[in-house]
Amino acid sequence: MKPKYDVIILGAGHNGLVAATYLGRAGLSVLLLEKNDYIGGATTSQKVFPDYDARLSRYSYLVSLLPEKIIRDLGLNLELRRRATASFTPYVKDGRHDGLLLSNVDEEKNRRSIADLTGSDTEHEQMKKFYRLSRVFAEHVWDSMLEPLVAKEEFRRQFDVDDVSREAWRSLAEEPLGRAIERYLKDDLVRGLVLTDAKIGVFTHPHDPSLLQNRCFLYHLIGNKTGEWKVPVGGMGAVARELEQAARKSGADFLTNVDLRALDLNGKTREVEFGVDGKRQTVDARFLLVNFGRNVLAKFSGKPYQPNATDEGSVFKINMLLHRLPKLKAKRYPATEAFCGTFHSDEGYEQMNASYDQASEGRLPVKTPCEMYCHTLTDDSILAPDLREQGFHTMTLFGLDVPWSLFARDNENMRREAEKRFLASINQWLEEPIEDCLAVASDGRRCIESKSPVDIEDALGMYHGNIFQNAPTFPFAERKDQVGTWGVETGYENVFLCGSSALRGGAVSGIPGHNAAMKILRPD
Ligand SMILES: Cc1cc2nc3c(=O)[nH]c(=O)nc-3n(C[C@H](O)[C@H](O)[C@H](O)COP(=O)(O)OP(=O)(O)OC[C@H]3O[C@@H](n4cnc5c(N)ncnc54)[C@H](O)[C@@H]3O)c2cc1C
């Protein structure tokens, strides 16, 4: 470690690594200080169950928003693999178990599956028209994500070119998303399927006047102009590893297990005081980049954090290792096809309105909406060869309508209760309880771990477990003073956000990391 750096990056999440690489390559000296004993933050694979050599993406798991430009610029060797199935939504019709299967590769299959559910081709046609809006939106905005912010009005003008663009702007940027969903789609299950992308990780509903649901939806639909979510081969750990290598090659220094104690945000240079290996250290830098959230920065600045109500996190993550895939009640589809995409459960539109209302009243929803993913069906390289041969799989469940406030008072008991309900939600579609398929550790415990928003905040510092650190923002400047900025400013001179808390941050994208680096390399 040197006594002085050009840039100190606080936190070593994937965005900190992106920023470090751009800056290091430009010849600046960079030090990253990370509180955890590993690099990557929420972008990490870990051997969650020590008896088994299976490296699970412990927090984030799919990639869509990492721009090809960043992959190219940094020379990352990543394989992002398409899932054959986009989604599977089991349902019961006329007393029979069936499922809505949407393929990523076979549009005709989608048409038939929607017609089986709804009785005609209309809903499929309407769904295509609806998704055309997000495609058009993505075409207009995606390339701007790596440029300074454009005024909302300027964007609106860019959309004022044809009917579809105008409709895309109105439906996605101006009116609550629920209106477009209800205008285009009639079937409750199809409406729910669409709405889930507006609710992942945040606590919102279709007609939320804050438009939080629109912002969350856009983040799920505009990535690389297609919005397709792909499995990183080797898991999220492979993404973090590639980025860490790029940062190290560019000359960055790293310290982990760092206990950050004080930041001088107002002095002539930026002084950072921390403890490592029981020793107190201070280091100076010209610039500070903040990879953790605004909430953590507030703690060090002495000013109270003033969150918006929309910043509340809403997530329940369950990581599982299975010794075999469970059988489905819907016999028409093999488990390998149904679990290969996003498996939706209790995510009907009206059902999610009910679960939102119940959670708003401080109760765990009676029926807990969730989705489950089996990434080893797309990439089994995260399993050791013997586990692969024996038919092991990893399974990830992401739960909705479980805000931080439900867990804040009694995290242990609520976590246990929530886990039970989410598993019950999945089990209603299975011939055998998923618990019977879980691998068992040498101490007799089943291979399952659950993370509530409280656990996520404890592990990573994300405000109230918000998976995007705080509420996702629109891709344009909503205020005049933001126009032309990189969206990374903090109010402190030479202190910039380089993580998900920045405007246009959120998700595994590297975008705020890139933008913070540009703020230093290409000042206004
Ligand atoms: C359960 C879950 C599932 C998700 N799923 C997806 C997904 O599938 N796809 C997707 O695109 N996104 C997903 N996300 C969101 C995505 O993971 C995050 O938005 C993104 O990884 C954040 O990256 P970052 O570099 O901005 O910050 P972080 O990953 O939050 O990194 C911040 C770093 O700062 C460190 N830190 C915190 N406090 C301190 C301190 N006091 N001192 C020093 N260091 C500190 C943290 O330990 C961490 O390493 C998910 C998130 C979660 C939690």
Side-chain angles (χ1 to χ4, degrees), residues 161-443:
V161 285
D162 55 42
D163 286 347
V164 183
S165 298
R166 277 189 288 274
E167 168 76 352
W169 177 259
R170 177 167 69 105
S171 304
L172 301 175
E174 290 204 320
E175 55 180 40
L177 183 70
R179 289 205 207 152
I181 293 180
E182 290 165 24
R183 203 160 54 237
Y184 280 81
L185 303 165
K186 293 282 167 290
D187 185 83
D188 185 77
L189 211 61
V190 176
R191 283 181 174 179
L193 182 70
V194 170
L195 180 66
T196 56
D197 278 329
K199 281 172 71 82
I200 298 221
V202 294
F203 190 50
T204 185
H205 62 93
H207 294 282
D208 189 338
S210 74
L211 302 190
L212 175 61
Q213 72 282 37
N214 294 45
R215 290 178 261 150
C216 184
F217 184 77
L218 285 175
Y219 273 81
H220 284 95
L221 270 300
I222 64 171
N224 282 300
K225 296 190 181 170
T226 68
E228 186 175 341
W229 288 86
K230 294 187 178 167
V231 175
V233 171
M236 277 299 178
V239 178
R241 220 172 23 252
E242 269 299 299
L243 286 169
E244 182 185 344
Q245 270 172 21
R248 284 192 193 277
K249 258 196 224 158
S250 76
D253 290 335
F254 285 80
L255 280 179
T256 51
N257 290 312
V258 163
D259 173 20
L260 209 55
R261 297 198 182 140
L263 303 177
D264 180 0
L265 299 167
N266 296 306
K268 242 184 156 194
T269 56
R270 308 280 154 260
E271 190 183 80
V272 179
E273 183 190 327
F274 58 95
V276 69
D277 294 334
K279 277 193 228 131
R280 181 184 163 276
Q281 309 258 15
T282 54
V283 191
D284 281 358
R286 284 200 291 138
F287 298 98
L288 277 189
L289 290 190
V290 179
N291 191 182
F292 45 62
R294 293 170 195 266
N295 56 320
V296 183
L297 177 63
K299 256 195 263 170
F300 289 105
S301 71
K303 285 190 191 157
Y305 180 53
Q306 293 184 318
N308 188 286
T310 57
D311 291 333
E312 178 92 341
S314 174
V315 51
F316 198 81
K317 174 105 193 296
I318 307 183
N319 294 314
M320 293 173 263
L321 181 66
L322 309 183
H323 57 77
R324 68 183 141 84
L325 282 182
K327 291 198 186 81
L328 283 170
K329 284 183 180 165
K331 290 276 169 297
R332 190 139 63 116
Y333 301 98
T336 45
E337 196 175 10
F339 290 124
C340 171
T342 304
F343 184 101
H344 296 272
S345 179
D346 286 326
E347 293 190 331
Y349 195 70
E350 290 309 327
Q351 203 169 311
M352 284 195 285
N353 282 335
S355 55
Y356 176 84
D357 288 344
Q358 289 159 9
S360 300
E361 289 158 9
R363 288 182 289 141
L364 196 58
V366 179
K367 284 192 164 258
T368 40
C370 58
E371 37 212 64
M372 207 165 66
Y373 311 74
C374 177
H375 302 311
T376 39
L377 286 168
T378 304
D379 164 38
D380 62 6
S381 72
I382 61 172
L383 296 173
D386 60 319
L387 297 183
R388 266 183 251 160
E389 268 161 37
Q390 293 170 58
F392 276 61
H393 282 284
T394 62
M395 202 65 104
T396 278
L397 182 147
F398 194 108
L400 311 185
D401 285 336
V402 270
W404 174 89
S405 55
L406 292 184
F407 298 84
R409 226 172 307 132
D410 185 359
N411 188 37
E412 292 297 314
N413 279 320
M414 272 312 254
R415 188 200 303 113
R416 209 169 304 128
E417 190 50 38
E419 183 182 287
K420 254 195 251 162
R421 277 202 210 176
F422 281 113
L423 294 185
S425 170
I426 295 296
N427 282 340
Q428 68 186 304
W429 312 112
L430 306 180
E431 283 221 314
E432 52 186 340
I434 195 163
E435 289 89 329
D436 288 358
C437 301
L438 289 170
V440 178
S442 53
D443 62 2

Side-chain angles (χ1 to χ4, degrees), residues 10-16 33-36 38-43 58-65 229 236 258-260 291-293 296 300 315 317 398 456 459-462 465-469 498-501 506-509 512:
L10 304 170
H14 83 285
N15 273 310
L33 299 176
E34 167 59 46
K35 82 171 170 83
N36 283 331
Y38 71 91
I39 301 294
T43 307
R58 194 170 215 161
Y59 302 104
S60 57
Y61 39 94
L62 290 170
V63 178
S64 172
L65 286 149
W229 288 86
M236 277 299 178
V258 163
D259 173 20
L260 209 55
N291 191 182
F292 45 62
V296 183
F300 289 105
V315 51
K317 174 105 193 296
F398 194 108
I456 289 171
L460 296 161
M462 293 170 148
N466 190 316
I467 68 167
F468 309 118
Q469 295 185 348
C498 75
S500 294
S501 258
V508 177
S509 73

Side-chain angles (χ1 to χ4, degrees), residues 12-28:
H14 83 285
N15 273 310
L17 301 172
V18 168
T21 311
Y22 277 108
L23 294 167
R25 287 190 183 178
L28 277 68

